Amino acid sequence: MHGVTTYNFSGQDFLALSDFHSSEIMYLLEQAVKLKKKQKQGVTHKPLEGKVLAMNFDKASTRTRVSFEVGIVQLGGHPIFLSTKDIQLGRGESIEDTAKVLSSYVDGILIRTFEHKTVEKFAAHADVPIINGLTDLHHPTQVLADLLTILEHKGKLAGLKMCYIGDGYNNMTHSLLEGAAKVGMDISVASPFGYEPDHMIRDHAKMIAKQNGSSVVVTNAPDEAIVDADIVVTDTWTSMGMEEEADKRKEVFKPFQVNAELCAKAKDDYIFMHCLPAHRGEEVTAEIIDGPHSVVFDEAENRLHAQKAIMEALMWD
């Protein structure tokens, strides 16, 4: 890996990958590798001793909640879980007031919510780092773990081709576009007509990719997008909050299922990724997600190590 030896992230927010320089993302990945190695070796490492992370969740979670709770404890700190129904924010207190109050108690705030402007408001009024655990627009903590997984399995990031197939206007798609562009990876996105990525995020990713010698392609043809892909990625067709569209989406997305016939067009040694939870028989067949190319459980484990790198970088004085 390449990158510089130190960066001062202390007090910085983690809202979207586009906010970080390519070398900063590589540095976080290097730190995640080191933290994972320490854990596997049983080495105690508690730089956040006495630090407290408030975790405000408006959306259900398995991997985000557990990885951050376990991660902060392993780093020596303490988590406080706050659902909207547990605090006054759910009864009408403003985001601005909540951010100021929580800042006086804790050392960092993780937010998993719907509108991206919610985390931006928190960041504007909080005096401690804000970490975006997922919004409808971005999922940067997941994609940092995805990049870590690719690095482990492929030994590099720059020069590889990633193909995402499925819902383009999706937090995973947006963060994958930004992450791939930042690290010099080619990315192709195949989505049904009318379900393409946000055009501003797409165009910004194209600009970053050009600077880093890679490319961004958005198409409605999955069989073209997947050709010679090193990494094949998909996500659920119906995200949280869109349940009423589920039946319609199943019909629209049928031609975008990741299956053996489609994956035959990727490179022979491609890896398959999915942020989970998955719906076998919908966006991906069991043959693929449970097959030899799948690294979804390595990807899930790496949430812990990537999250620890983020918290250490932002919350360590």
Side-chain angles (χ1 to χ4, degrees):
M1 284 183 290
H2 62 280
V4 297
T5 55
T6 58
Y7 275 101
N8 182 13
F9 292 91
S10 181
Q12 198 168 337
D13 300 311
F14 194 86
L15 305 187
L17 291 176
S18 59
D19 297 333
F20 295 86
H21 189 273
S22 301
S23 60
E24 292 176 317
I25 292 174
M26 292 305 302
Y27 174 77
L28 289 173
L29 292 172
E30 290 174 5
Q31 295 306 105
V33 170
K34 292 176 183 177
L35 289 168
K36 184 172 184 177
K37 184 177 181 180
K38 286 181 179 179
Q39 180 180 316
K40 298 298 183 183
Q41 294 175 339
V43 176
T44 300
H45 178 68
K46 297 191 174 184
L48 301 186
E49 192 83 50
K51 300 286 188 179
V52 178
L53 177 72
M55 301 170 54
N56 179 214
F57 278 60
D58 293 335
K59 286 188 174 185
S61 168
T62 299
R63 282 149 291 273
T64 301
R65 178 174 177 178
V66 177
S67 61
F68 271 101
E69 285 201 18
V70 172
I72 188 70
V73 170
Q74 289 182 351
L75 293 173
H78 182 80
I80 298 178
F81 180 79
L82 305 169
S83 70
T84 303
K85 66 182 180 181
D86 295 326
I87 58 176
Q88 296 296 341
L89 184 62
R91 298 179 64 247
E93 184 168 25
S94 70
I95 292 172
E96 294 85 348
D97 288 355
T98 302
K100 290 174 183 176
V101 170
L102 288 179
S103 293
S104 67
Y105 300 146
V106 304
D107 303 284
I109 303 172
L110 167 71
I111 303 170
R112 182 178 172 94
T113 189
F114 292 89
E115 295 186 7
H116 191 70
K117 67 181 181 181
T118 298
V119 296
E120 293 178 329
K121 279 187 180 180
F122 261 98
H125 293 89
D127 296 323
V128 296
I130 301 298
I131 301 172
N132 175 10
L134 175 145
T135 64
D136 288 342
L137 205 60
H138 295 283
H139 200 355
T141 58
Q142 173 68 56
V143 171
L144 192 69
D146 290 356
L147 294 175
L148 175 60
T149 307
I150 296 166
L151 194 58
E152 287 180 339
H153 283 270
K154 293 296 184 181
K156 64 176 184 177
L157 295 174
L160 296 175
K161 178 182 176 180
M162 174 187 288
C163 173
Y164 175 90
I165 297 174
D167 187 3
Y169 198 88
N170 170 288
N171 48 34
M172 279 300 300
T173 320
H174 294 154
S175 289
L176 285 168
L177 280 166
E178 293 179 343
K182 287 284 184 178
V183 300
M185 188 185 301
D186 294 328
I187 181 169
S188 57
V189 174
S191 303
F193 180 77
Y195 294 86
E196 295 90 349
D198 177 270
H199 70 279
M200 292 182 66
I201 294 174
R202 176 204 63 199
D203 290 347
H204 189 231
K206 283 186 175 182
M207 180 187 71
I208 297 169
K210 186 175 180 179
Q211 294 170 352
N212 290 325
S214 59
S215 65
V216 171
V217 174
V218 176
T219 178
N220 303 119
D223 56 332
E224 296 176 8
I226 201 171
V227 172
D228 290 332
D230 297 285
I231 307 104
V232 177
V233 190
T234 191
D235 192 10
T236 179
W237 291 339
T238 306
S239 299
M240 284 180 283
M242 300 179 180
E243 288 77 10
E244 71 281 357
E245 301 177 21
D247 290 341
K248 175 186 176 183
R249 283 173 171 264
K250 285 179 184 178
E251 290 302 313
V252 171
F253 283 91
K254 270 184 180 179
F256 292 80
Q257 182 188 72
V258 177
N259 52 41
E261 181 181 359
L262 188 62
C263 288
K265 301 178 186 294
K267 287 186 178 176
D268 291 341
D269 63 346
Y270 81 91
I271 58 173
F272 171 76
M273 302 180 71
H274 191 307
C275 65
L276 304 179
H279 301 84
R280 289 164 175 81
E282 292 185 16
E283 72 269 14
V284 61
T285 60
E287 180 182 9
I288 296 299
I289 193 170
D290 299 319
H293 293 276
S294 177
V295 297
V296 297
F297 295 110
D298 292 342
E299 181 185 3
E301 179 193 340
N302 280 335
R303 290 296 302 275
L304 173 63
H305 311 298
Q307 266 56 306
K308 286 169 69 175
I310 294 167
M311 288 187 286
E312 181 179 29
L314 270 57
M315 296 172 63
W316 190 16
D317 296 329

